[in-house]
Amino acid sequence: MEYLKENDQTAVRFDIVNTTSEKVDDQLFTSVLIGPKDEVLAEMPFTHIQDLEVGQTHALEVIFEGDVTATKQIKLVEK
């Protein structure tokens, strides 16, 4: 995670790992950034995963407006 002060944006890089027992095919999720007090800092409503085998990792990089560097956890919520 990197705060880009000149643009008041935060670059967030994270991996999504399929820890389920089934392959993920063409699913939409909302990525929710959770702060230290379990508050929602930001959301990315259309995280699309085309194809992710069991145990496979998918790298993701997004830019959020503002400073969300207090993020302690990222949750994926299935649509």
Side-chain angles (χ1 to χ4, degrees), residues 11-42:
V12 179
R13 296 168 198 89
F14 61 99
D15 291 332
I16 297 171
V17 180
N18 182 358
T19 59
T20 71
S21 60
E22 297 181 19
K23 178 181 176 180
V24 175
D25 275 319
D26 197 30
Q27 289 191 9
L28 282 176
F29 298 87
T30 297
S31 297
V32 182
L33 279 63
I34 307 296
K37 298 178 185 171
D38 292 328
E39 74 275 25
V40 174
L41 298 177

